[in-house]
Amino acid sequence: AAAAGEEPEGEPGPKDFVYGEEDFVPCGPGWEGDPGSWLSRFDLALLSGWDEREAQGLFRYRLGALPTRVLPGPARLVAALNARRGTERRPPQPVRSLRQPFDPTAFNFTRLRRGELLLRLHRAGSAAAPLLVAINASPLVRGHVLLLPEAARAQAQALQAPALRATLEAALLSAHPGFRVGFNGLGGCASVNHLHLHGLYLPFPLPVESAPATPLCPGGPALLRSVPAPAFLFFAAGPAELDAVSRDVCRAAEHITDAGLAYNVFATRGDPPGSVGPGGGRGLRVLLWARRPSFGAKAGDAFNVALCELAGFLPLSAETLYNEITEDEALSSLRQHLLPEPELLSLGKDLAQLLAE
């Protein structure tokens, strides 16, 4: 990943992690008991490597325990104070358009140090390129990683079905209910214009896991409305449905970009959209948000609105804001970036028609 000679001698590199169908945890556990006792082979490999890199000082800051609180109110938003990320992370790259090309002169993930790389995920028997797992050097939570599909190809930050499919497989390798994966598109608070996704352990339930949704078309997406940020919901009951879900999400994302809108994606273990789902129990919920493009921070914004914030988790860098923000204030900040309901419903009809073809 990094140029030869730039890393200290003896710095660890990525370990090969070969997995098969038997490693998937299709339904996944709920939140009863101790989530830390349910770790899979994948979880143990990721978290042990992450902790090792933290001990070696490869992060921009030591995370430590993060103050966390649930904001009073029905939305059950979770706020966490992470002051050092606000001051010590790498400044986000300037994004000026939804289809900005990759810039080889700007920072990209081929420049990561060898020690920042944790795992190469290989599906046994597959000819697909491995998915590289690297630390996020400015983490939101313990276990926050970058998922890098074919980084050497130097692709811009536009989601593609093979990359999403590989990332959703990674989500199914985890036995922890709080392991979530997601994507920030250009104009959706992506900070680096090089194809990457995020994986992170959020150690608490979120309403997006269980809120009911209204189907938009048979076998297609549903509309998740009773959450802080309404989203289009796709559901995979197990590994066999990942191809179709990945394809549909990416077709929908491309349509959203064509409409001049930005998008974010968030995948979490959760309930089927209705009372009875395809698998009769928990599976993988994939949320797709269409939103107003955001090019650079705006004066008066309480926080950036990216995949975590849209899902109901608010990482905040200012202690005063963390202590004083209310649910109404947080929801107001989120809604500034969202579509009015009539526009959202119209877009939903277009997506239902597109995906029914």
Side-chain angles (χ1 to χ4, degrees):
E6 291 187 359
E7 309 96 10
E9 289 186 12
E11 199 166 85
K15 296 180 178 179
D16 287 316
F17 186 95
V18 180
Y19 64 93
E21 195 81 15
E22 69 279 3
D23 290 296
F24 291 132
V25 187
C27 292
W31 286 96
E32 300 78 13
D34 175 17
S37 66
W38 304 324
L39 300 181
S40 66
R41 187 170 69 94
F42 167 78
D43 295 315
L44 293 170
L46 188 157
L47 290 170
S48 63
W50 198 96
D51 290 342
E52 180 183 69
R53 272 45 169 204
E54 185 179 44
Q56 293 169 340
L58 290 174
F59 292 87
R60 287 176 170 258
Y61 49 84
R62 184 171 287 275
L63 196 62
L66 298 178
T68 303
R69 71 185 185 98
V70 178
L71 303 189
R76 291 184 289 152
L77 299 171
V78 179
L81 177 61
N82 189 341
R84 297 191 67 181
R85 179 176 164 87
T87 58
E88 299 183 32
R89 68 179 296 201
R90 179 183 291 109
Q93 294 175 0
V95 174
R96 301 179 181 86
S97 78
L98 298 174
R99 296 192 185 277
Q100 187 163 310
F102 177 83
D103 179 1
T105 67
F107 171 80
N108 62 76
F109 299 116
T110 65
R111 301 184 184 181
L112 294 178
R113 292 169 55 173
R114 177 177 172 81
E116 295 180 77
L117 311 179
L118 297 180
L119 301 170
R120 279 188 297 257
L121 304 185
H122 301 260
R123 176 76 179 267
S126 171
L131 180 67
L132 189 62
V133 181
I135 63 170
N136 187 318
S138 302
L140 290 171
V141 291
R142 177 178 178 245
H144 186 180
V145 293
L146 301 171
L147 304 167
L148 308 175
E150 298 186 84
R153 290 184 59 194
Q155 302 170 89
Q157 183 70 345
L159 193 58
Q160 301 169 15
L164 180 57
R165 163 66 194 252
T167 297
L168 296 180
E169 284 198 353
L172 290 182
L173 290 173
S174 174
H176 193 295
F179 184 69
R180 279 77 177 229
V181 298
F183 177 89
N184 292 321
L186 297 178
C189 287
S191 61
V192 177
N193 187 18
H194 186 187
L195 181 58
H196 68 287
L197 298 95
H198 292 265
L200 64 172
Y201 292 83
L202 302 178
F204 34 75
L206 295 169
V208 294
E209 295 174 44
S210 56
T214 304
L216 294 174
C217 62
L223 182 60
L224 195 64
R225 300 174 76 173
S226 54
V227 290
F232 300 112
L233 172 64
F234 301 77
F235 184 78
E241 299 178 11
L242 295 186
D243 270 337
V245 166
S246 300
R247 182 180 62 249
D248 286 351
V249 170
C250 290
R251 289 183 68 197
E254 182 66 16
H255 180 88
I256 288 168
T257 304
D258 287 342
L261 299 169
Y263 64 91
N264 303 79
V265 175
F266 183 86
T268 180
R269 299 304 183 109
D271 299 331
S275 57
V276 178
R282 286 170 66 86
L284 202 58
R285 284 186 162 205
V286 184
L287 282 68
L288 171 66
W289 287 279
R291 40 90 59 83
R292 303 291 185 208
S294 179
F295 299 124
K298 295 182 173 59
D301 282 357
F303 47 80
N304 284 333
V305 174
L307 64 93
C308 284
E309 291 83 357
L310 291 166
F313 171 57
L314 312 178
L316 304 175
S317 58
E319 185 173 2
T320 300
L321 181 63
Y322 168 77
N323 289 328
E324 298 180 0
I325 191 169
T326 66
E327 181 183 274
D328 286 344
E329 291 168 341
L331 292 176
S332 176
S333 291
L334 290 174
R335 287 167 182 160
Q336 290 177 28
H337 299 269
L338 302 178
L339 306 183
E341 185 167 284
E343 189 174 344
L344 181 68
L345 294 175
S346 176
L347 178 60
K349 290 180 181 178
D350 292 343
L351 294 181
Q353 182 176 352
L354 171 73
L355 299 178
E357 294 174 354

